[in-house]
Amino acid sequence: MPSDSQFILKSISQGCVMLADDEFVIDRLVKYFGNGRIRWHVEFRGHRIELTTGQLKKQPTFRRKMLEQAGVLPPQRAGTNYRRWALDLRKNAVELPWRDRPVDVGFAIDRLTSHGDERWTVEYQGKAIKFTTTKLRRQVSFRKRMLAKAKVLPPQLDPAAYRKWIDWLIQNASDPQADDALMTEKSWLDDLPELAGWQNGDSPTS
């Protein structure tokens, strides 16, 4: 089996796509932890490349993995430059629990329920996450709250695609049941400061 460097050189001779520095920008790095292991997933143009810490640290292996699974060859960096780049990448990684599979793969909510007065509940894998209409329509707020409450980070969508998805969810939202035990008025009042983005001890008028 050829080494990583030999594989890369052969691929270059065969005309593989080699990206320049300003062309190679990954979407995000996810650090999955659990079962005594750490897994790294590089997300790039719709591809998800799984790496160990050692593979991420070793530039030839990283470039080979990207070439094999994403079809592009990252630019060659000087040794110290690559180590610094990989270190910064790991420091800014999104951390998620592994469970049986990455929890944000194939993200789909179970149900959106309307409770009137711009109050909503997103149901996801047994969890009920409360939203106001404003928080639901803001993608940053939606992803942040899902990560905090359900330990899942929904995929980043184009703004227009996200608006279309949310509009569809709202149009197809379930009506609340008369005996809805998941959402009492008191529970909503207790959670409103957090939903509104107020800090501890803050009030809407402060």
Side-chain angles (χ1 to χ4, degrees):
M1 182 177 178
S3 68
D4 295 329
S5 297
Q6 290 171 338
F7 179 87
I8 290 170
L9 289 173
K10 181 179 179 181
S11 299
I12 291 174
S13 68
Q14 294 175 345
C16 71
V17 178
M18 185 161 49
L19 300 180
D21 282 336
D22 58 347
E23 294 177 311
F24 183 70
V25 180
I26 71 168
D27 299 318
R28 67 172 181 170
L29 177 68
V30 183
K31 177 183 180 181
Y32 290 104
F33 56 91
N35 298 325
R37 292 184 57 192
I38 292 177
R39 303 168 178 85
W40 304 88
H41 278 194
V42 172
E43 297 181 7
F44 177 78
R45 298 181 182 177
H47 297 276
R48 180 184 290 259
I49 298 91
E50 182 175 347
L51 300 162
T52 64
T53 303
Q55 290 171 335
L56 188 57
K57 288 181 176 180
K58 189 177 179 182
Q59 181 170 203
T61 305
F62 173 76
R63 297 179 80 210
R64 176 174 183 164
K65 286 280 189 178
M66 292 297 302
L67 182 57
E68 288 178 331
Q69 298 184 41
V72 297
L73 183 63
Q76 175 75 43
R77 301 172 186 265
T80 55
N81 187 14
Y82 178 80
R83 286 192 292 272
R84 189 181 307 112
W85 177 82
L87 181 61
D88 288 342
L89 203 61
R90 296 198 302 277
K91 285 182 177 179
N92 293 293
V94 174
E95 295 190 12
L96 294 173
W98 176 262
R99 298 180 186 172
D100 295 327
R101 65 188 180 97
V103 292
D104 57 342
V105 173
F107 174 80
I109 71 170
D110 300 320
R111 184 171 63 169
L112 176 67
T113 301
S114 169
H115 299 280
D117 296 328
E118 299 194 346
R119 301 178 304 175
W120 308 85
T121 298
V122 170
E123 296 180 25
Y124 176 82
Q125 296 187 357
K127 293 183 174 63
I129 300 97
K130 305 168 191 175
F131 286 90
T132 61
T133 301
T134 299
K135 293 289 184 181
L136 190 63
R137 288 192 174 278
R138 290 178 180 168
Q139 182 169 199
V140 172
S141 300
F142 176 77
R143 297 179 80 219
K144 182 177 180 180
R145 187 160 178 79
M146 290 300 297
L147 181 58
K149 296 297 183 180
K151 304 303 180 187
V152 60
L153 186 64
Q156 179 82 41
L157 299 178
D158 175 86
Y162 181 78
R163 287 193 297 270
K164 185 176 181 181
W165 179 68
I166 286 295
D167 287 342
W168 182 89
L169 283 180
I170 290 175
Q171 289 172 8
N172 292 277
S174 302
D175 292 328
Q177 300 299 316
D179 59 349
D180 188 356
L182 288 175
M183 187 57 56
T184 65
E185 187 68 24
K186 183 178 185 303
S187 70
W188 259 96
L189 291 174
D190 289 343
D191 205 26
L192 274 178
E194 183 183 349
L195 289 173
W198 307 330
Q199 302 301 314
N200 292 336
D202 288 349
S203 69
T205 57
S206 61

